[in-house]
Amino acid sequence: MIRFENVTITYEDATHSTLRDIDLTVPEGELCLLVGPSGVGKSTLLGAVSGLVPHFTGGRLAGRVTVAGRDTRTHKPRELADVVGTVGQDPLSHFVTDIVEDELAYGMESLGLPPDTMRRRVEETLDLLGLAGLRDRPIATLSGGQRQRVAIGSVLTVHPSVLVLDEPTSALDPGAAEDVLAVLQRLVHDLGTTVLMAEHRLERVVQYADRVILLPAPGAPAVVGDPAEVMAG
Ligand code: ADP
Ligand code: ADP
């Protein structure tokens, strides 16, 4: 579903590659955690899945990244938007509208989906994320956990087969974090979505993961394994 073949990413002016010779596969329908120290290249790796690298960040990409069979070198992020949903670290910077239900519809409007489908999917997503009571609310009046769920919902309405999230719980209190993680787990187990999530607070999330990718140090090979194995190592 997500495949990295011999991937090296180097930013302009950098003396070293941020990621070197990364080979890995995230199979369909798994919740995969991406862990490693700050600055090791987690956001860069996620950016390579959504196509931001190499198209928008100034990073050069050698090797090949494919997502749902599409080569990210020949597909720009907007040509991946129907298969990859991306939720960044800061949900506020993500929003393009003011009201919850408008935000959920926005991605579908960009893809030109029919109004009936859009209405149905907004309802379905409000329910899935426990946001039904907040549909008319200005996003600016929501709590951090509610905003994070709106950010996730805004990409889910497109029904992406892959969802990429950069530390989605880092700004949340434990209760709100658990709500978000439970939603992600449901997406994976009930709908077969593939989720790749960067996280540094491992103890909070490891129980939800099917697989862990560890980037131990800049330029070092990635370690991929089941959560217990990687934690023990
Ligand atoms: P992490 O998410 O693990 O903290 P990042 O992927 O954000 O790591 O960053 C990895 C390295 O790449 C850092 O040294 C960072 O400064 C550098 N980097 C990230 N984005 C860019 C960019 N757009 N241009 C230049 N260097 C970058
Ligand atoms: P349409 O595709 O016409 O919008 P529905 O909204 O009813 O029809 O969705 C069709 C199917 O997609 C349903 O079986 C539903 O379970 C499933 N589905 C719901 N949410 C998602 C999602 N986030 N990703 C993938 N499939 C989903």
Side-chain angles (χ1 to χ4, degrees), residues 147-169:
R147 282 178 195 176
Q148 192 58 272
R149 279 183 282 145
V150 174
I152 292 170
S154 70
V155 299
L156 283 187
T157 48
V158 168
H159 287 187
S161 49
V162 174
L163 184 61
V164 170
L165 308 103
D166 201 347
E167 308 210 347
T169 69

Side-chain angles (χ1 to χ4, degrees), residues 11 18 37-44 57:
Y11 286 109
T18 292
S38 179
V40 80
K42 298 185 297 296
S43 301
T44 298
T57 59

Side-chain angles (χ1 to χ4, degrees), residues 4-119:
F4 280 61
E5 293 167 85
N6 221 359
V7 171
T8 294
I9 296 174
T10 313
Y11 286 109
E12 261 166 54
D13 302 331
T15 50
H16 301 288
S17 300
T18 292
L19 296 176
R20 191 195 301 271
D21 293 334
I22 301 290
D23 270 292
L24 56 87
T25 301
V26 181
E28 193 170 337
E30 282 197 2
L31 198 160
C32 181
L33 280 183
L34 174 61
V35 301
S38 179
V40 80
K42 298 185 297 296
S43 301
T44 298
L45 193 152
L46 296 183
V49 175
S50 50
L52 295 173
V53 183
H55 297 290
F56 289 112
T57 59
R60 268 187 298 119
L61 180 128
R64 188 151 71 137
V65 178
T66 47
V67 182
R70 294 184 203 172
D71 188 329
T72 60
R73 196 194 306 277
T74 51
H75 291 79
K76 296 203 167 153
R78 80 199 281 50
E79 297 163 331
L80 295 168
D82 59 329
V83 290
V84 189
T86 304
V87 179
Q89 230 167 35
D90 172 14
L92 274 184
S93 69
H94 178 105
F95 298 127
V96 289
T97 70
D98 298 325
I99 303 294
V100 169
E101 66 181 334
D102 297 342
E103 190 65 27
L104 297 190
Y106 178 80
M108 295 186 289
E109 279 166 12
S110 310
L111 291 173
L113 296 188
D116 274 3
T117 305
M118 294 206 289
R119 267 193 296 277

Side-chain angles (χ1 to χ4, degrees), residues 175-194:
E178 265 173 43
D179 290 347
V180 166
L181 290 163
V183 165
L184 296 178
Q185 198 171 38
R186 231 154 82 221
L187 281 174
V188 171
H189 293 157
D190 298 351
L191 297 169
T193 308
T194 305

Side-chain angles (χ1 to χ4, degrees), residues 33 35 202 206 211-215 223-233:
L33 280 183
V35 301
L202 199 51
V206 73
R211 182 180 300 258
V212 173
I213 299 170
L214 169 67
L215 297 175
V223 181
V224 184
D226 75 54
E229 252 169 51
V230 174
M231 297 302 285

